[in-house]
Amino acid sequence: MAEKNTDSPLSIHGDCARIYEQAASILLQGELPAGWDWVPCSKDAVVAATTENPIVFYKKFLPRNNFEKIKAIIRGNRSKRARKQADILHKAGLPTPKILCLGRGQKNVFLISKGFGGVGFFQYLKMNFLPPLSKEKIRKKRLLLKEAGSLIGKMHSMGIVHGDLRQNNLLVKEVENGFQFSLIDNESNRKWWFIPRSQILKNLVQFSIFSDNLLSKTDLMRLYNAYAAFYPRFSGRGKSFFLRNVFRRSQHRILFIKLKKTLKETCQPLKNKNFRGECVRNSIVVRQFESEIDPAQWFLQAKTVLKNDNNISVKILPGLGGDVIAKRFTAQNLLRHPSAWLKMKRAFRQWEMSHVFIALGIPVARPIGFVFKGKSTSYYYSEHLANVKDLVRLSREIGDFPDWLEKEKIISRFAQYLARLHNGGYCHGDTKWANILANASTGEFWMIDLDGASQVKFTLGRKACKDLSRFIVDMIKYELPKQFVNELMAEYCNIRLLNKERVQKKIEPLINKIRERHKKISQNKMAAKAAE
């Protein structure tokens, strides 16, 4: 990266400009002076550091987008903003490296700052606190979280919001009585008279994104409580709600990072002059399309038709290596109804949501691939689950259905999965019994029809309530004893740490509304039959 972004110096100024002028000139040209080495960094910068004392860091800012020059005219370039924000932090008594000098080349700006003998917060955790931990390590870890939370709380109490509070933008080193910190990458910081709630949420979520399960929920709550002690803006139920929202959003971001990594490692793109998409490497779908068959032709080879209407068709297809479930989405009347175009995206949404559910440990039919064909048709492919039926059919075919549910713990397990899904920041969208497949012999079950699944923005928002209500409506419709509804609610609320009575009160109007709608549909069907 450094070698590809060569530049030539125009100016350098600051207290130590003369000392580092020659080194800066060489670094701008993409070369290393004696006693310097490149440092890994983001794609938006080039960073180098001295290898011997005194340790100093050189950072060249690369253009992030086409608006960088306009922003530089209005707000100053990134090196000037970094110096300004460093001065603000110093005046507030907050730790950050001192900027020794800054300058510009013909293309980019740069700065040189004093070094700090520490490492990024996330890196420090990986180096020192991988499980299992001794009692002494646990004590140190708790102290580290307390002091880090207190620092962030102090920063917010001064009206300062960090522009990018990812863990490695907080450097840490151990000292005799605890830890020392230093805030880096401060050019996007902002000073507020009164910090908007959204900015506080943004900073805390950024700092809470830890992969590799390095921090548990309890660890994060220790950090949040230390933060709240220095910045007591939230209290009581408001504090609990806010911190839960921070935790939920951070978990969603962690899940997204893992999902992106999994898709990159296990999947491959499908490219053809007639269609495009993505699928699991070496899967049945890959082998099928390598035989040069078109998705529409393959769909016509159906062994069994499971569903067929104007917009959605579901069939079991024979494949080179086994049967596959194929779901075709068709968008009709694109010009008259532009919203119908969104149906094209449902195949991709089902593909994406299936991987999300799997990452959350929720059983679904394994996704195999999806393709877009033309401007109006898309296909989604998943594994064929043998010897399964939906709960509606099982309720009619199993002699003592309630006894089977109780024996296999279907209701409590479903409540656990639904709570895990909602805690992960997602909803199913249509949890009717027809969308729950089960094996009567083994008690295994799977959720299907995930094209309506989406992200949940609130702890107990309408989407989460709808998931709960829709399943309960079928429990009432198929006359399950009331104890099953109580079991579902108790397990769900216990896992999500919600008040059962409050949840019941919130979903009751939805349950009544869904039942009323079903009643009208049933009446219309009866009227249509009578008319015939």
Side-chain angles (χ1 to χ4, degrees), residues 68 129 160 280 283 395 398 440:
E68 195 66 49
F129 298 109
I160 301 169
V280 175
S283 64
S395 69
I398 296 177

Side-chain angles (χ1 to χ4, degrees), residues 198-339:
S198 61
Q199 294 296 309
I200 296 172
L201 184 65
K202 174 187 171 183
N203 262 187
L204 291 180
V205 170
Q206 287 173 334
F207 199 74
S208 301
I209 301 171
F210 287 88
S211 59
D212 302 329
N213 298 318
L214 279 176
L215 292 183
S216 65
K217 185 176 181 179
T218 305
D219 289 330
L220 287 172
M221 289 310 297
R222 283 195 177 92
L223 186 142
Y224 298 154
N225 287 328
Y227 165 85
F230 262 82
Y231 187 53
R233 177 170 168 179
F234 308 100
S235 60
R237 285 183 62 184
K239 174 186 172 183
S240 176
F241 177 81
F242 179 75
L243 294 182
R244 253 187 296 178
N245 196 18
V246 171
F247 181 75
R248 180 180 58 79
R249 291 199 182 193
S250 65
Q251 294 303 298
H252 176 260
R253 291 279 295 277
I254 291 170
L255 179 65
F256 180 77
I257 292 168
K258 289 181 178 178
L259 179 62
K260 193 174 179 181
K261 183 180 178 182
T262 300
L263 290 175
K264 186 176 180 180
E265 291 175 349
T266 62
C267 302
Q268 68 179 63
L270 285 171
K271 291 184 179 179
N272 185 284
K273 63 181 180 180
N274 296 319
F275 59 87
R276 59 188 173 83
E278 192 172 352
C279 66
V280 175
R281 289 193 181 100
N282 302 317
S283 64
I284 297 172
V285 172
V286 173
R287 292 194 291 272
Q288 198 69 26
F289 289 141
E290 282 177 348
S291 67
E292 299 185 356
I293 191 170
D294 185 82
Q297 293 175 333
W298 190 18
F299 201 71
L300 292 174
Q301 297 176 6
K303 295 173 69 176
T304 307
V305 178
L306 302 177
K307 180 179 180 179
N308 192 20
D309 61 27
N310 292 333
N311 295 318
I312 302 174
S313 299
V314 183
K315 298 180 180 181
I316 301 176
L317 307 183
L320 299 174
D323 292 343
V324 173
I325 294 288
K327 192 171 186 177
R328 183 182 68 186
F329 299 93
T330 307
Q332 303 289 344
N333 300 322
L334 289 174
L335 295 178
R336 291 182 60 190
H337 304 286
S339 62

Side-chain angles (χ1 to χ4, degrees), residues 2 10 18 26 32 103 107 134 136 155 158 162 166-167 206 249 276 278 308 310 315 337 400 451 460-461 487:
L10 289 179
R18 290 186 178 180
I26 296 171
L32 281 171
K107 300 177 184 177
S134 65
E136 178 62 20
M155 180 178 70
M158 298 289 183
H162 197 282
R166 286 180 285 187
Q167 307 88 0
Q206 287 173 334
R249 291 199 182 193
R276 59 188 173 83
E278 192 172 352
N308 192 20
N310 292 333
K315 298 180 180 181
H337 304 286
D400 194 341
D451 51 286
L460 194 61
E487 180 184 357

Side-chain angles (χ1 to χ4, degrees), residues 88-89 91-95 148-162 165 183 190-196 199-200 203-204 226-234:
I88 290 172
L89 289 171
K91 287 178 182 178
L94 295 166
S150 299
L151 176 63
I152 299 169
K154 183 179 179 182
M155 180 178 70
H156 285 172
S157 70
M158 298 289 183
I160 301 169
V161 173
H162 197 282
L165 197 60
L183 293 158
R190 188 169 176 183
K191 185 89 162 61
W192 297 82
W193 178 76
F194 184 77
I195 304 176
Q199 294 296 309
I200 296 172
N203 262 187
L204 291 180
Y227 165 85
F230 262 82
Y231 187 53
R233 177 170 168 179
F234 308 100

Side-chain angles (χ1 to χ4, degrees), residues 409-422:
K409 301 187 184 303
I410 300 294
I411 301 301
S412 63
R413 284 161 56 204
F414 177 81
Q416 291 165 14
Y417 290 138
L418 194 63
R420 189 185 301 168
L421 177 66
H422 293 168

